[in-house]
Amino acid sequence: MSTPIVLFAAMLLDALFGEPDWLWRRVPHPAVLMGKVIGICDARMNNGKLRKAKGIALVLGLVFLGAVLGTFLQFLGPLFEVVIVAILLAQRSLVQHVSGVANGLRMSLAEGRRAVARIVSRDTRSMQEPAISRAAIESAAENLSDGIIAPAFWFLIGGLPGILIYKLINTADSMIGYRTERYTDFGWAAARLDDLVNLIPARLTAVFIALPAGALAQWAAIRADASLHRSPNAGWPEAAMARAIGVALAGPRAYDGVMQDFAWVNGAGERAIGPTEIDACVTRLWHAWGIALALAFCLGILTS
């Protein structure tokens, strides 16, 4: 079974079954195990002098771990490989969490806040419906790249070692890749390598979102808005999603009680948004997933 066909089957398996609670209540999810390894290293290594060097050593160790573990797991056969890749993708889980925000808003503002707090790190206590909706849509666009397109891309490039290395790097960035006093040095390598491995997938994600929406004609504007984002990559899927569904994203939001002034993405788009626009975003998530699935299938036919 070729690598693209394995990916095709894994994407279908993930979309059909997602994250089975009955399984992960009994055994730890691989992402949880990755987080525990990185957390232990953070606690033991992120102190004293040479923190940047220690952070580089950690990232090199994670790359080595992913390469060795992935190479070993490949020997277990293609069916086992399909299951592993499906576990490392997150399409159905992403859709469920984002749809949960729309469903929560339909019940009450408080339920919408509770639902969006599960998927974003910004302050949600005083959010109104448009801010909740923007947060959900932005998270959806970014996680489409990080949770589906990028892992799929690196699996096609490097097989199981490729996808495991990517997931370890991405998990490390989410845990230690912050510009804070504690992580500026120790998390530097994780953040920079995460920027690198997401460089192509983030732009592919933007294409996959914009194409079925007929928004590729606005690519220059998407590129311009993407450059306003603090991340060199996250702005691409967000800017594409903003135009795909005709809304304004980003703008002012609060972190740790402090309001921060972020530039608007597609500022001319609709700002008074709610569950309907979140639903439209979910539709675009499935469209982008469908393009990726079709590409995997075509590559499988060409390489078989």
Side-chain angles (χ1 to χ4, degrees):
M1 191 183 296
S2 68
T3 298
I5 293 301
V6 169
L7 176 61
F8 176 80
M11 290 180 69
L12 287 177
L13 187 63
D14 167 58
L16 287 171
F17 298 104
E19 303 285 355
D21 289 338
W22 63 266
L23 175 61
W24 305 127
R25 283 198 302 265
R26 291 167 172 80
V27 297
H29 193 283
V32 174
L33 294 176
M34 292 177 187
K36 286 184 177 180
V37 169
I38 295 164
I40 291 170
C41 292
D42 179 22
R44 295 184 178 180
M45 299 172 68
N46 189 12
N47 51 65
K49 298 179 180 180
L50 301 175
R51 291 193 183 194
K52 181 175 283 190
K54 292 176 182 177
I56 293 172
L58 169 59
V59 168
L60 291 175
L62 293 175
V63 170
F64 178 77
L65 174 63
V68 171
L69 184 59
T71 300
F72 170 76
L73 292 174
Q74 283 183 150
F75 289 108
L76 298 178
L79 293 180
F80 192 79
E81 198 170 0
V82 167
V83 173
I84 294 174
V85 175
I87 289 171
L88 296 175
L89 298 174
Q91 175 73 10
R92 187 176 181 88
S93 175
L94 173 62
V95 166
Q96 288 173 336
H97 281 89
V98 175
S99 296
V101 179
N103 294 335
L105 279 173
R106 290 188 174 99
M107 295 171 62
S108 69
L109 190 60
E111 285 298 324
R113 287 171 179 164
R114 274 191 281 271
V116 81
R118 300 187 185 106
I119 61 174
V120 299
S121 59
R122 67 193 71 172
D123 292 342
T124 61
R125 289 168 294 180
S126 60
M127 275 187 176
Q128 298 304 305
E129 185 172 288
I132 293 170
S133 302
R134 285 196 299 272
I137 293 168
E138 291 162 22
S139 177
E142 185 175 351
N143 281 287
L144 174 65
S145 180
D146 289 355
I148 299 95
I149 305 302
F153 174 83
W154 286 108
F155 177 68
L156 287 175
I157 296 296
L160 280 184
I163 192 173
L164 284 171
I165 290 170
Y166 173 78
K167 294 298 290 188
L168 283 162
I169 293 168
N170 190 244
T171 303
D173 176 65
S174 69
M175 294 179 65
I176 64 174
Y178 297 105
R179 295 177 182 177
T180 62
E181 183 178 353
R182 176 173 175 79
Y183 293 117
T184 296
D185 290 331
F186 186 69
W188 175 84
R192 296 292 75 75
L193 188 54
D194 186 72
D195 288 343
L196 180 62
V197 297
N198 280 297
L199 196 68
I200 295 174
R203 287 149 182 81
L204 280 176
T205 304
V207 172
F208 293 172
I209 293 170
L211 181 61
L216 278 182
Q218 303 179 60
W219 190 254
I222 291 172
R223 182 174 61 243
D225 274 347
S227 68
L228 301 176
H229 202 285
R230 293 181 299 175
S231 163
N233 299 315
W236 286 90
E238 288 184 20
M241 185 64 77
R243 281 169 174 76
I245 61 176
V247 301
L249 296 178
R253 82 280 302 269
Y255 290 95
D256 299 322
V258 179
M259 184 61 69
Q260 299 186 29
D261 189 20
F262 284 70
W264 285 96
V265 170
N266 190 30
E270 182 62 49
R271 298 189 185 187
I273 62 176
T276 300
E277 287 74 22
I278 298 176
D279 291 341
C281 168
V282 168
T283 298
R284 295 303 176 193
L285 293 180
W286 281 117
H287 288 172
W289 175 88
I291 291 175
L293 183 73
L295 284 175
F297 180 76
C298 292
L299 285 172
I301 296 299
L302 291 172
T303 57
S304 61

